[in-house]
């Protein structure tokens, strides 16, 4: 089965009633969390900006806590300068809303991937029963391991954000630099959730050693899909279906190769035993 066939087969499975029902869960949960976070942050942020804007436009001095971190002081002075004039004030407002929109979109991706991780076993169980019931699953995923992978991936994402700060000021490259930490998190969690539900550690190492780049390309394709505004809210289940089919197919091939290898070994053993008798 080629890649196009896997994509089309995954789309067909996604639009089944059982999968669409599951797809409602990340949609509802993520929307509720984003709604709460966005309006809480927006209310606090807009109120603070309005106070700074009014103070700067009225010529009043903006008081900054002396114990505040240096980056907070710089940021406050920048805000004061931008809101000092009506033209720069308009630009600043536009930038804040634009950046806020990007952050909300990326946050929706992160939240959806975390939520869909809890639903992965249910999704893959349906696929296994429908197409791959002849395969034996050896799950290597455990709750402590899943928590560890989540925490480690979050830490690495934040770490990448920090070390890439200088690149954010370089046009074009800043888009790639901003997306890289999110893609890292996206790939790590999706890949772990699916592989740990289907394979044993040994099977995963064997498959990923040969097919690692192909799975990176698959998650990169899915990441591009997730960049469509709020697409992940609806399509997170499709990501699991698509990667699930890919891993099931590789497991099927691996199982056949192991059976063939066992048959060859058995045949050679019988030949040796026959020769010894003769």
């Amino acid at each position: 089965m080629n890649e196009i066939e896997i994509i089309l087969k995954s789309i067909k499975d996604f639009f089944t009633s059982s999968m669409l029902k599951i797809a409602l869960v990340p949609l509802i949960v993520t929307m509720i969390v984003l709604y709460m976070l966005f309006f809480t942050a927006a209310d606090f942020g807009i109120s603070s900006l309005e106070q700074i804007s009014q103070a700067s436009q009225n010529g009043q001095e903006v008081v900054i806590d002396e114990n505040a971190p240096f980056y907070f002081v710089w940021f406050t002075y920048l805000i004061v300068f931008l809101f000092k004039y009506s033209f720069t004030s308009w630009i600043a407002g536009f930038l804040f809303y634009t950046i806020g929109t990007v952050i909300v979109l990326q946050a929706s991706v992160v939240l959806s991937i975390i939520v869909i991780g809890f639903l992965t076993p249910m999704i893959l169980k349906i696929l296994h029963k429908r197409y791959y019931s002849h395969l034996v699953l050896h799950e290597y995923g455990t709750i402590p391991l899943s928590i560890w992978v989540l925490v480690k991936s979050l830490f690495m994402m934040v770490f990448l954000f920090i070390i890439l700060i200088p690149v954010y000021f370089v046009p074009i490259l800043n888009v790639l630099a901003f997306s890289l930490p999110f893609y890292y998190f996206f790939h790590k969690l999706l890949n772990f959730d699916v592989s740990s539900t289907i394979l044993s550690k040994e099977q995963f190492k064997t498959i990923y050693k040969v097919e690692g780049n192909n799975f990176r390309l698959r998650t990169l394709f899915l990441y591009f899909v997730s960049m469509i505004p709020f697409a992940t809210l609806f399509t997170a289940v499709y990501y699991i279906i698509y990667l699930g089919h890919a891993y099931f197919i590789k497991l099927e091939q691996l199982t056949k190769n192991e059976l063939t290898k066992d048959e060859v070994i058995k045949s050679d053993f019988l030949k040796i035993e026959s020769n010894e008798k003769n």
Side-chain angles (χ1 to χ4, degrees), residues 1 20 38 55 58 66 80-81 93 119 124 132 139 146 184 192 203 205 211 219 225-226 231-232 237 240 243 278:
M1 184 180 295
L20 288 175
F38 177 77
N58 295 331
E66 294 180 354
V80 170
F81 171 77
L119 303 173
L124 295 179
Y132 309 100
E139 304 177 28
S146 299
Y184 173 86
F192 170 79
Q203 289 172 332
K205 290 178 181 178
E211 297 289 330
T219 55
V225 173
S226 72
T232 306
V237 170
I240 302 300
L243 289 180
N278 292 333

Side-chain angles (χ1 to χ4, degrees), residues 3 7 10-11 109 113 183 186-187 190-191 194 214-228 231-232 235-244 246:
E3 204 63 32
I7 292 173
S10 301
I11 292 174
V109 174
I113 295 304
Y183 170 69
F186 185 89
H187 169 79
L190 269 184
N191 199 55
V194 176
N214 289 332
F215 279 101
R216 291 187 188 97
L217 289 174
R218 290 183 179 108
T219 55
L220 185 61
F221 160 68
L222 295 176
Y223 182 73
F224 283 137
V225 173
S226 72
M227 289 300 96
I228 301 171
T232 306
T235 58
V237 170
Y238 174 78
Y239 304 162
I240 302 300
I241 296 172
Y242 175 51
L243 289 180

Side-chain angles (χ1 to χ4, degrees), residues 96-150:
F96 282 128
Y97 278 106
T98 302
I99 294 171
T101 301
V102 172
I103 292 174
V104 168
L105 290 176
Q106 295 288 4
S108 70
V109 174
V110 173
L111 285 171
S112 296
I113 295 304
I114 293 174
V115 173
I116 202 64
F118 294 98
L119 303 173
T120 298
M122 185 188 306
I123 297 168
L124 295 179
K125 184 178 180 180
I126 294 173
L127 291 183
H128 180 252
K129 184 178 180 180
R130 186 176 296 168
Y131 301 107
Y132 309 100
S133 57
H134 57 286
L135 296 176
V136 179
L137 305 185
H138 303 279
E139 304 177 28
Y140 75 87
T142 60
I143 293 177
L145 181 60
S146 299
I147 295 173
W148 165 243
V149 171
L150 173 60

Side-chain angles (χ1 to χ4, degrees), residues 18-274:
S18 57
M19 294 299 183
L20 288 175
K21 289 177 183 177
I22 298 174
L24 291 174
V25 178
L27 170 63
I28 295 171
V29 173
T30 305
M31 286 297 291
I32 292 173
V33 174
L34 283 179
Y35 181 86
M36 295 170 61
L37 291 177
F38 177 77
F39 282 99
T40 301
D43 181 61
F44 175 78
I46 291 173
S47 298
S48 301
L49 289 176
E50 285 178 349
Q51 291 177 4
I52 294 175
S53 175
Q54 290 174 1
S56 60
Q57 289 178 3
N58 295 331
Q60 299 174 359
E61 183 179 355
V62 179
V63 180
I64 303 175
D65 187 356
E66 294 180 354
N67 297 321
F70 71 93
Y71 52 82
F72 178 81
V73 176
W74 292 354
F75 181 74
T76 304
Y77 279 126
L78 175 62
I79 297 301
V80 170
F81 171 77
L82 290 175
F83 280 95
K84 192 173 183 180
Y85 307 99
S86 59
F87 178 71
T88 54
S89 176
W90 180 85
I91 294 176
F94 173 78
L95 288 175
F96 282 128
Y97 278 106
T98 302
I99 294 171
T101 301
V102 172
I103 292 174
V104 168
L105 290 176
Q106 295 288 4
S108 70
V109 174
V110 173
L111 285 171
S112 296
I113 295 304
I114 293 174
V115 173
I116 202 64
F118 294 98
L119 303 173
T120 298
M122 185 188 306
I123 297 168
L124 295 179
K125 184 178 180 180
I126 294 173
L127 291 183
H128 180 252
K129 184 178 180 180
R130 186 176 296 168
Y131 301 107
Y132 309 100
S133 57
H134 57 286
L135 296 176
V136 179
L137 305 185
H138 303 279
E139 304 177 28
Y140 75 87
T142 60
I143 293 177
L145 181 60
S146 299
I147 295 173
W148 165 243
V149 171
L150 173 60
V151 172
K152 184 174 71 172
S153 299
L154 282 170
F155 174 80
M156 283 301 300
M157 181 174 69
V158 174
F159 178 72
L160 286 173
F161 270 124
I162 295 173
I163 65 173
L164 290 172
I165 287 176
V167 189
Y168 297 155
F169 299 95
V170 182
I172 301 177
L173 288 179
N174 55 5
V175 177
L176 296 175
F178 190 73
S179 299
L180 182 60
F182 283 112
Y183 170 69
Y184 173 86
F185 180 85
F186 185 89
H187 169 79
K188 283 294 182 181
L189 248 65
L190 269 184
N191 199 55
F192 170 79
D193 287 340
V194 176
S195 64
S196 64
T197 308
I198 298 175
L199 310 172
S200 66
K201 282 188 178 180
E202 291 72 22
Q203 289 172 332
F204 171 71
K205 290 178 181 178
T206 301
I207 292 174
Y208 204 74
K209 184 178 180 180
V210 180
E211 297 289 330
N213 288 333
N214 289 332
F215 279 101
R216 291 187 188 97
L217 289 174
R218 290 183 179 108
T219 55
L220 185 61
F221 160 68
L222 295 176
Y223 182 73
F224 283 137
V225 173
S226 72
M227 289 300 96
I228 301 171
F230 299 108
T232 306
L233 298 178
F234 303 95
T235 58
V237 170
Y238 174 78
Y239 304 162
I240 302 300
I241 296 172
Y242 175 51
L243 289 180
H245 275 304
Y247 269 113
F248 274 126
I249 290 169
K250 293 305 172 184
L251 175 60
E252 193 170 38
Q253 293 175 355
L254 181 64
T255 303
K256 287 181 180 178
N257 291 338
E258 289 176 348
L259 289 174
T260 302
K261 185 177 180 180
D262 290 341
E263 288 176 359
V264 170
I265 293 174
K266 185 177 180 180
S267 177
D268 291 341
F269 177 78
L270 291 174
K271 287 180 180 179
I272 294 172
E273 190 178 45
S274 177

